[in-house]
Amino acid sequence: MERNDGFRILHDAIKNSLIQRLGVVKVFCEETTEHKHETYYNLSSMDVESLSQDNAVEIIEQQQVDEQLFNIVVKRTIGKKEYRVEGVPPEEFGYSRECRIIDNARYVEQKVRKTKSELITMGVDPDVVADMGSDESTNVWGGEAETRNITQGSYTWGDEDAGSDSEQEVTLTECYIRCDYDGDGISEYRRVVKVGTTVLENSIVDEHPFALFTPILMPYMPVGLSMYDLVEDIMRVKTVLTRQVLDSAYLANNPRTE
């Protein structure tokens, strides 16, 4: 609730599950690096040598004050781990159809749209990114996302102009699959990150980072029923009756003559 937008995350997951059966939350540890510049004054040669042996420190400027003292400027790289919780729109999420419990699913995926510039900032080799083509034909956005963005008045389907190659979008797929990759006869759980057929990461993991919200559980199904499923028939009857009453009133008040 403090380091993540807890209220918004829970609100979106719960409301989405009540309306559309499924709310998805992703929980993961994000490893990032932070670069800091530090200045040291009047260091001895031994101090400078000690700093230069630190793998996290890069000396970018050095000035000799006298025969034995130095002023130096270094860039220090600090690794940080942050535990992240974020909501996942349902149209980005998928899982193998035969699974009964999402924790034991053989396949789970999340598909997101990323620009090539964003891939480079994530640590992907720029040469690999340069060889990627745009994959607009495999756009992950479906009816829900299109309707959501049109309702907000901020969406233009098919009219986007990337402007430059770095702003071209590709579909980044993060999938968790159980398979025998090393050929020892035993399936292991693997995290595979790819763009098209270009695999960016393939590593062994213990579990996937997704948690599901569903309001009404159903036996042997990871996704149950929503509140809409319970009142759908009532809603349709009331809609038809209301429509007929209004149509009758329109015709009575404004009769059409021939």
Side-chain angles (χ1 to χ4, degrees), residues 206-232:
D206 295 326
E207 57 185 1
H208 63 75
F210 301 103
L212 303 190
F213 286 64
T214 189
I216 302 170
L217 297 177
M218 296 297 289
Y220 315 117
M221 297 175 61
V223 179
L225 300 179
S226 66
M227 298 304 295
Y228 167 78
D229 293 320
L230 300 183
V231 300
E232 177 186 4

Side-chain angles (χ1 to χ4, degrees), residues 9-249:
I9 293 167
L10 292 175
H11 170 275
D12 291 351
I14 293 172
K15 189 167 186 176
N16 215 93
S17 67
L18 291 172
I19 297 174
Q20 296 184 314
R21 303 178 183 173
L22 176 65
V24 185
V25 172
K26 184 179 182 182
V27 184
F28 60 99
C29 179
E30 184 178 56
E31 296 186 9
T32 60
T33 56
E34 179 182 351
H35 301 287
K36 296 178 61 177
H37 287 77
E38 301 174 352
T39 303
Y40 297 92
Y41 299 96
N42 300 323
L43 296 184
S44 66
S45 58
M46 294 183 61
D47 294 332
V48 175
E49 179 67 21
S50 177
L51 276 174
S52 64
Q53 293 178 357
D54 189 343
N55 294 330
V57 172
E58 177 186 355
I59 298 178
I60 58 177
E61 187 177 333
Q62 179 174 323
Q63 180 182 4
Q64 186 170 358
V65 179
D66 56 31
E67 294 183 357
Q68 297 182 347
L69 298 178
F70 300 86
N71 295 338
I72 64 172
V73 179
V74 303
K75 181 173 71 172
R76 186 180 298 275
T77 302
I78 303 173
K80 297 177 62 179
K81 285 187 177 182
E82 295 182 338
Y83 291 96
R84 310 290 298 171
V85 184
E86 61 184 30
V88 177
E91 69 271 9
E92 295 181 0
F93 181 74
Y95 58 91
S96 52
R97 180 176 297 179
E98 78 282 353
C99 84
R100 298 180 179 181
I101 302 175
I102 195 63
D103 293 340
N104 298 330
R106 273 197 263 171
Y107 181 84
V108 181
E109 71 171 13
Q110 180 188 9
K111 290 185 176 181
V112 296
R113 299 291 287 176
K114 294 285 187 181
T115 65
K116 292 184 176 181
S117 175
E118 289 174 326
L119 291 180
I120 293 176
T121 59
M122 290 168 56
V124 182
D125 188 342
D127 294 333
V128 175
V129 174
D131 293 335
M132 296 177 182
S134 178
D135 57 352
E136 296 176 358
S137 60
T138 59
N139 202 315
V140 300
W141 305 132
E144 180 187 350
E146 186 177 355
T147 302
R148 183 169 62 239
N149 287 294
I150 290 176
T151 302
Q152 296 297 323
S154 60
Y155 195 66
T156 53
W157 179 259
D159 294 332
E160 298 90 343
D161 182 8
S164 64
D165 185 66
S166 64
E167 291 302 308
Q168 283 188 354
E169 288 190 338
V170 295
T171 301
L172 179 69
T173 303
E174 177 185 350
C175 52
Y176 297 80
I177 182 171
R178 193 177 301 280
C179 65
D180 181 19
Y181 181 78
D182 52 13
D184 61 355
I186 300 176
S187 296
E188 62 271 357
Y189 217 42
R190 306 193 71 89
R191 177 177 185 264
V192 179
V193 181
K194 68 185 188 71
V195 174
T197 58
T198 303
V199 177
L200 306 178
E201 181 181 339
N202 183 356
S203 58
I204 296 179
V205 293
D206 295 326
E207 57 185 1
H208 63 75
F210 301 103
L212 303 190
F213 286 64
T214 189
I216 302 170
L217 297 177
M218 296 297 289
Y220 315 117
M221 297 175 61
V223 179
L225 300 179
S226 66
M227 298 304 295
Y228 167 78
D229 293 320
L230 300 183
V231 300
E232 177 186 4
D233 54 342
I234 301 174
M235 180 206 71
R236 292 188 181 277
V237 170
K238 294 182 70 173
T239 298
V240 171
L241 292 177
T242 303
R243 181 76 268 161
Q244 291 180 349
V245 169
L246 292 176
D247 288 344
S248 177

